[in-house]
Amino acid sequence: MRTKKVEDTKKIFSKSHTLLNTFDLRDFKGKKVLAKNGLKVGKVSDFVIDKSYNIVSLKVRNWFRTFYVDTLFIDSLSNKVVKLNIIPVVTNIGKKVFDVEGRYVGKVVGLVKTNDKNEFKGLIVKKRFFFRGKTINKSDIKTNDKNIILKIEHVN
Amino acid sequence: MKTITSDDILGKVALDTSGDELGIVTELHIDKENKTITGVTIDQGFMKPSLFIGIKHILKFGIDSVMLNKVPYEKIKGLNVLDERGELFGYVDEVIVKKYKIDSIIVSKTKVSSKKYIITGKDIDKISSDVLLKKGFKAKLKE
């Protein structure tokens, strides 16, 4: 974070601005992004700027997965970390799913969403790569933390 | 009466209440006199100590997994401790449990540091893949 005042001769602004407590976008790239529960969701790979030159979202990359997070969901910024005030629903992808009888149902490969919000209606689960995906309703989920445990029995 | 055999238990993955896979069940412990199961041993993986779980903490012997009814406090050891901004404070060295609740944790700044801090359970916000501390937490230097 910039803590020293920038000399007036080096600035061209429409209004007076000290530039104190501001960041350079370049300092953000590569920073770890943490969800509300402390889970690492990825790293900042880029920014999205609209036609009015406002930063609308962060582009977050986690291995081969890329997703966009609205800047409204940024809780705090520090030297190394961007902390969000939500748990992005995309973090459900890759979790294992077990039913109430301890039966392994599969791995989450996708989400059923009806809008761009941080909500999902269901999960698409596959037991093996070439198998057909099954949809699990959100209402059938008992625990959703490291992995997912269902309230119901799921017979294949 | 539905019965199962040791084959239905051994080799299965053990899940805690958060769905976290703790390891594989490798041993079944039986009371020699009463002929009852007293618990299971879970192999947590390479270079990690095995975990004994008493039968009272086993919720169900499931079809593909053994489900526990608690989150073992031992698994918190070694986790990162993050402050309210998400910055790394240290690593959990020890967990002190009183009356089945976390009373405090002992945190070392680095994995090889001898300097340790005590943080009470009240200052812990969440425990998941890391331990998140509350805003304004107090860390007391351990003597």
Side-chain angles (χ1 to χ4, degrees):
Chain A
M1 192 189 286
R2 197 173 283 105
T3 50
K4 282 185 185 171
K5 201 177 164 185
V6 176
E7 291 167 29
D8 289 341
T9 50
K10 288 184 180 177
K11 292 186 285 182
I12 300 171
F13 276 77
S14 56
K15 287 180 203 173
S16 175
H17 199 300
T18 59
L19 288 180
L20 283 172
N21 301 322
T22 58
F23 298 86
D24 284 337
L25 285 185
R26 197 176 42 194
D27 296 335
F28 267 98
K29 278 195 181 181
K31 266 196 188 159
K32 224 183 331 185
V33 180
L34 296 183
K36 189 181 171 183
N37 59 356
L39 185 71
K40 185 188 167 187
V41 296
K43 283 189 177 177
V44 178
S45 67
D46 215 330
F47 299 89
V48 177
I49 299 170
D50 67 12
K51 287 181 181 176
S52 308
Y53 308 110
N54 298 313
I55 300 170
V56 291
S57 76
L58 299 177
K59 191 174 172 184
V60 181
R61 192 165 181 165
N62 186 4
W63 294 101
F64 301 110
R65 199 160 56 233
T66 300
F67 56 96
Y68 297 83
V69 180
D70 194 332
T71 50
L72 290 171
F73 294 130
I74 296 173
D75 184 42
S76 63
L77 304 165
S78 67
N79 291 332
K80 291 178 188 174
V81 164
V82 175
K83 198 177 166 204
L84 304 178
N85 56 20
I86 54 162
I87 301 171
V89 289
V90 289
T91 55
N92 287 307
I93 294 174
K95 284 184 183 176
K96 289 186 180 175
V97 181
F98 294 88
D99 74 3
V100 73
E101 291 298 322
R103 186 186 282 111
Y104 177 63
V105 179
K107 244 187 193 176
V108 179
V109 296
L111 302 171
V112 176
K113 288 181 82 182
T114 52
N115 54 41
D116 292 337
K117 292 183 182 177
N118 192 41
E119 298 162 354
F120 68 95
K121 270 183 80 179
L123 304 169
I124 301 166
V125 176
K126 265 190 185 182
K127 201 163 189 178
R128 287 194 181 87
F129 184 72
F130 293 110
F131 278 34
R132 219 170 162 184
K134 286 167 254 185
T135 304
I136 307 280
N137 289 323
K138 190 180 176 182
S139 54
D140 292 335
I141 296 171
K142 180 184 170 190
T143 309
N144 185 353
D145 197 333
K146 291 275 180 71
N147 287 310
I148 293 164
I149 299 175
L150 304 179
K151 287 178 198 170
I152 54 161
E153 201 175 336
H154 195 282
V155 182
N156 296 320
Chain B
M1 183 177 64
K2 197 179 176 187
T3 56
I4 55 172
T5 66
S6 59
D7 282 346
D8 297 316
I9 300 169
L10 297 174
K12 295 267 164 76
V13 71
L15 297 178
D16 65 19
T17 49
S18 68
D20 191 18
E21 291 181 39
L22 299 168
I24 304 289
V25 177
T26 52
E27 289 173 357
L28 201 58
H29 299 262
I30 298 170
D31 186 310
K32 203 174 168 181
E33 285 176 19
N34 299 326
K35 301 177 197 68
T36 53
I37 296 172
T38 55
V40 298
T41 295
I42 297 168
D43 179 1
Q44 296 194 88
F46 184 65
M47 297 283 282
K48 288 183 186 173
S50 293
L51 209 57
F52 172 79
I53 303 286
I55 193 71
K56 281 183 184 173
H57 299 300
I58 296 173
L59 178 69
K60 195 176 271 195
F61 290 116
I63 292 163
D64 295 320
S65 58
V66 172
M67 301 171 95
L68 308 185
N69 60 17
K70 64 171 261 182
V71 174
Y73 295 122
E74 292 74 18
K75 82 168 194 177
I76 299 168
K77 278 189 196 174
L79 290 185
N80 294 340
V81 179
L82 306 177
D83 64 18
E84 75 278 4
R85 292 170 307 159
E87 296 242 6
L88 182 68
F89 178 79
Y91 304 92
V92 179
D93 207 51
E94 216 179 305
V95 181
I96 296 163
V97 176
K98 280 183 184 170
K99 291 182 183 177
Y100 305 106
K101 282 185 181 176
I102 295 176
D103 180 66
S104 56
I105 54 171
I106 295 172
V107 178
S108 49
K109 278 284 189 179
T110 63
K111 291 194 173 173
V112 295
S113 171
S114 56
K115 224 178 184 179
K116 291 176 199 227
Y117 294 88
I118 301 171
I119 295 172
T120 60
K122 288 175 191 171
D123 286 328
I124 297 172
D125 186 17
K126 277 190 187 84
I127 299 177
S128 60
S129 52
D130 296 313
V131 176
L132 278 179
L133 300 176
K134 288 182 181 170
K135 201 175 181 178
F137 71 92
K138 286 176 188 166
K140 191 181 162 189
L141 191 65
K142 192 187 175 199
E143 285 150 34

